[in-house]
Amino acid sequence: MTEVTALMPAAGRGERFDSRTNKLWVEIGGRPVLGWSLSAFENHPRVRAIVVAADEDNLPRVRRLQAQFHKLITVVPGGRTRAESVKRALDAAPGSSEILLVHDAARPAVSTGLIDRVIDGAERWGACIPALPISDTVKRVDGSNTILETVPREIAAEKIAWRLFTVQTPQGFRCDRLHRAYDHLLRLGGQVTDDSGLAEAAGIEVKVVAGEPNNVKLTNPADLNDLVRILAPRWARSGIGYDVHRLGADRPLVLGGVTISHGAGLIGHSDADVLIHAICDALLGAAALGDIGYHFPDDDEANRNRPSLEFLGEVKTILQKAGWNPHNVDATLLAEAPKVAPYRAEMQRNVAQVLGIDEGCVSIKATTSEKMGFVGRREGMACWAIATIIPI
Ligand code: CTP
Ligand code: MG
């Protein structure tokens, strides 16, 4: 297998983000941005080693991460510019490296698939970077916000066909190519903002492979919202809920907030909507915030005959106060009768509306108990639910 080493410049000052907080140490889902970036390479099966260039102040802090990230073999002091930081990491890379990937520590959402594409491209062509074709119209604007010209996005002429792309990292190079590129550093110095730029200046042919819109670089404060949204599913939590209610005559049957004429209904302090109760418990369980009995006690007169959809709405508020949003819900009702299919869409819509999530994120199913047990004897109904929540 090819020896792949990741070089990670992490010595910037992050001035466009916020001059007081170092953007690489901002936590997303309890893990610093730098930790997310490191974990992408730590967990990638084709990456053998990682070298980080960190600013002097944070050297000890980054070195402490070596206990957690075993592929992080070396941490070196960075330089004044990004390119100087990369050069220092390059000089410290293991001599056995065949492919070098240079990745901005400020791009924490890089995917396994993207890293694979770049490694494949570097093996095949010697130098390759991820890029996205520009779809918006591009203008050149002067210091007083006046448009100077519209930059053509593409030219499809016979001899000079080209398109505009924005580029990302990781940028991948065969080892000799990156060394040759960085031999040009002293000459080009501050003019280059990416590694490919140096390679191009050295006359090395660089190919592009498909980048990913989610591979956002944390540059300005607004980028943090995007990254939280992108990374959120990676630290989602799940919970399970279960509830049972006895059936009795002369009670309305309410399931999933839908009143069904059935001749018998579920008995309980509230409207006894067993389906919604199980969903409430799954959501509360995911956030480790107790259960429905704790939040809505059945000896509280205020809860008598209350529609359970109101409980669900309050569960959502409880979650949000704790920093969570519901993401999806799946429930299975155990009932000998009635058939749930005709009401399923309405039940799903009720739950989705109260939770403020997509209808496609709510699944409600039902099964009989084949005439066995208390469900089979029509003495009661039960419901299992599972729910996933994501940080706000
Ligand atoms: N970088 C570095 N050494 C430098 C400058 C930048 O290692 N002297 C790193 C940054 O830490 C970042 C990557 O290069 O991971 C991309 O740079 P950028 O996003 O511009 O980060 P900063 O330079 O920190 O931010 P700013 O330009 O807003 O100050
Ligand atoms: Mg910078």
Side-chain angles (χ1 to χ4, degrees):
M1 206 166 72
T2 323
E3 216 26 62
V4 179
T5 300
L7 310 178
M8 198 176 285
R13 303 175 63 89
E15 262 153 17
R16 283 168 291 176
F17 181 74
D18 171 356
S19 48
R20 281 158 301 140
T21 4
N22 185 328
K23 65 181 181 181
L24 299 181
W25 295 96
V26 170
E27 291 198 354
I28 301 179
R31 173 189 265 180
V33 168
L34 176 60
W36 283 103
S37 302
L38 285 170
S39 80
F41 293 88
E42 174 80 18
N43 296 326
H44 198 290
R46 294 165 77 186
V47 174
R48 185 68 62 89
I50 308 169
V51 178
V52 167
D55 60 300
E56 294 280 352
D57 293 347
N58 286 302
L59 274 177
R61 207 169 170 193
V62 179
R63 290 199 170 118
R64 277 200 295 278
L65 291 176
Q66 288 182 288
Q68 201 181 330
F69 298 103
H70 300 296
K71 291 183 185 170
L72 177 52
I73 51 161
T74 312
V75 181
V76 294
R80 250 180 335 102
T81 63
R82 179 190 182 279
E84 282 170 26
S85 297
V86 174
K87 171 79 172 121
R88 291 186 180 188
L90 176 61
D91 291 340
S96 56
S97 312
E98 292 166 277
I99 299 282
L100 294 164
L101 304 175
V102 187
H103 183 69
D104 293 331
R107 290 187 193 268
V110 56
S111 74
T112 307
L114 181 56
I115 295 173
D116 267 325
R117 275 202 296 289
V118 173
I119 295 174
D120 289 343
E123 281 178 338
R124 180 156 172 214
W125 298 299
C128 126
I129 68 171
L132 290 171
I134 292 184
S135 52
D136 292 327
T137 297
V138 181
K139 310 265 182 193
R140 201 192 298 275
V141 178
D142 73 9
S144 65
N145 287 344
T146 309
I147 293 171
L148 298 174
E149 65 163 334
T150 299
V151 182
R153 271 201 317 256
E154 57 190 302
I155 290 186
E158 250 177 50
K159 282 201 180 126
I160 42 154
W162 54 264
R163 280 184 292 161
L164 281 182
F165 282 79
T166 57
V167 309
Q168 309 181 332
T169 70
Q171 305 198 339
F173 303 86
R174 287 207 159 274
C175 194
D176 60 307
R177 307 272 208 299
L178 193 63
H179 278 287
R180 247 167 67 206
Y182 270 83
D183 287 343
H184 284 253
L185 180 58
L186 277 184
R187 195 163 55 78
L188 289 168
Q191 295 163 44
V192 285
T193 50
D194 75 336
D195 317 287
S196 170
L198 281 173
E200 293 152 37
I204 295 165
E205 187 176 77
V206 185
K207 293 276 191 192
V208 301
V209 292
E212 287 175 2
N214 279 353
N215 186 18
V216 171
K217 180 157 77 71
L218 182 58
T219 306
N220 298 301
D223 300 324
L224 191 57
N225 290 339
D226 289 339
L227 283 167
V228 168
R229 183 181 47 75
I230 293 162
L231 291 170
R234 301 196 201 169
W235 76 93
R237 287 169 48 156
S238 300
I240 189 167
Y242 175 71
D243 195 28
V244 188
H245 280 272
R246 192 182 286 279
L247 271 165
D250 306 324
R251 279 276 295 184
L253 176 66
V254 183
L255 289 173
V258 180
T259 306
I260 299 169
S261 78
H262 181 55
L266 295 170
I267 300 168
H269 185 68
S270 64
D271 66 0
D273 189 333
V274 68
L275 185 66
I276 299 298
H277 292 183
I279 291 173
C280 286
D281 266 358
L283 288 163
L284 290 167
L289 284 171
D291 62 11
I292 193 167
Y294 170 79
H295 291 283
F296 312 100
D298 61 10
D299 54 7
D300 184 344
E301 268 312 299
N303 293 330
R304 180 172 293 281
N305 293 328
R306 240 181 115 189
S308 296
L309 280 181
E310 288 183 18
F311 296 156
L312 188 64
E314 285 186 37
V315 164
K316 188 191 172 189
T317 309
I318 292 166
L319 288 182
Q320 289 192 317
K321 279 194 187 140
W324 296 100
N325 258 331
H327 180 264
N328 76 295
V329 171
D330 180 27
T332 298
L333 177 76
L334 283 77
E336 212 55 31
K339 284 248 172 300
V340 161
Y343 311 100
R344 188 213 305 267
E346 194 180 346
M347 293 172 178
Q348 290 176 166
R349 206 173 314 126
N350 284 343
V351 172
Q353 249 166 30
V354 172
L355 293 180
I357 58 179
D358 213 71
E359 278 177 44
C361 287
V362 180
S363 151
I364 291 174
K365 319 180 295 300
T367 179
T368 71
S369 206
E370 298 281 339
K371 300 194 172 71
M372 294 179 290
F374 71 88
V375 172
R377 291 189 298 272
R378 302 182 185 222
E379 291 165 15
M381 292 182 187
C383 187
W384 286 104
I386 185 163
T388 304
I389 57 172
I390 54 175
I392 288 170

